[in-house]
Amino acid sequence: MTMMRWAPVLGLGLLAGCSAVKSSRIRDDYAQVDRKETKRLVVVAQPLPDEKPAVGELWSLIARQWVNQNRDFLVKENVALPGRPTDATFKELCVEGVEGVLWLDPRISLKGDGAEAEVKAQLLRCRDSQEVWAAEAAGSWSSTDEDYAARVNKFSQELGEEVAPYVVPTTKLLAATLETLPNPELTEADKDEKIELGE
């Protein structure tokens, strides 16, 4: 009986020991300010990972879906843009109804039957371009994982076959990175809006 209770905890400890996340930080005043004010986001992947538009779309789409499914943010849109951002405040994405930008600065390269990937991620609030949260992560993963076969198939159909070898490494890297995101506080109206997002 005792063994059954301790096994999951031990497993989590082992996973944490080989985490891809190198660092993460959050504003000291998050609980007082952004937890209630910075909830509606757009995800941007820039520059394009491996200089491929479809792979950029993959990164931003995986991030949008993960955040909508695992955090209480309302991610309205995801985009992928070429080149380094000339204005890292992303004011052009801060349209009405958007309170923050989740910026992914990705790098990925295919190696053998897998990929080496790294990301710098930042959540910037729209009203003053201040950083709310940030994290850096990196690692190497195989492109093949039976548990992800359906996901690889889905994204390949949606974005093209060229994204197939990127799906597993991108998903694993982003899941580890975004796991360090805080959770905002939603009102009842926000909760209804989140349901309407359908993710």
Side-chain angles (χ1 to χ4, degrees), residues 78-137:
N78 61 283
V79 295
L81 302 171
R84 302 288 318 162
T86 53
D87 177 10
T89 64
F90 296 100
K91 284 296 182 191
E92 71 281 4
L93 297 177
C94 287
V95 296
E96 186 176 346
V98 174
E99 298 154 351
V101 175
L102 177 57
W103 174 28
L104 306 175
D105 180 351
R107 286 182 188 78
I108 190 167
S109 56
L110 299 180
K111 304 279 185 187
D113 63 353
E116 293 178 359
E118 61 183 278
V119 67
K120 292 178 183 175
Q122 266 188 311
L123 174 56
L124 304 164
R125 61 185 179 210
C126 283
R127 64 180 165 85
D128 58 6
S129 305
Q130 290 293 302
E131 178 186 283
V132 174
W133 162 91
E136 292 187 32

Side-chain angles (χ1 to χ4, degrees), residues 5-101:
R5 268 185 280 155
W6 283 101
V9 177
L10 177 62
L12 288 173
L14 291 173
L15 285 174
C18 41
S19 172
V21 178
K22 308 305 178 198
S23 66
S24 68
R25 60 184 179 268
I26 188 167
R27 290 184 66 88
D28 291 339
D29 61 357
Y30 179 80
Q32 295 78 32
V33 181
D34 294 286
R35 186 167 65 101
K36 296 181 180 181
E37 294 180 6
T38 309
K39 299 180 269 192
R40 289 163 185 81
L41 311 179
V42 59
V43 174
V44 58
Q46 187 179 15
L48 298 173
D50 219 7
E51 300 181 2
K52 296 178 180 175
V55 180
E57 283 294 318
L58 176 74
W59 276 66
S60 65
L61 181 56
I62 287 173
R64 186 195 85 203
Q65 291 177 346
W66 192 96
V67 174
N68 277 335
Q69 291 165 6
N70 296 280
R71 291 294 182 271
D72 288 334
F73 291 102
L74 297 96
V75 186
K76 303 291 203 164
E77 187 181 358
N78 61 283
V79 295
L81 302 171
R84 302 288 318 162
T86 53
D87 177 10
T89 64
F90 296 100
K91 284 296 182 191
E92 71 281 4
L93 297 177
C94 287
V95 296
E96 186 176 346
V98 174
E99 298 154 351
V101 175

Side-chain angles (χ1 to χ4, degrees), residues 68 71-74 190-198:
N68 277 335
R71 291 294 182 271
D72 288 334
F73 291 102
L74 297 96
D190 293 338
K191 291 175 185 174
D192 291 341
E193 188 180 339
K194 182 144 180 92
I195 291 168
E196 288 172 17
L197 284 175

Side-chain angles (χ1 to χ4, degrees), residues 110 152 178 180 185 193 197:
L110 299 180
V152 171
L178 299 172
T180 68
E185 182 180 309
E193 188 180 339
L197 284 175

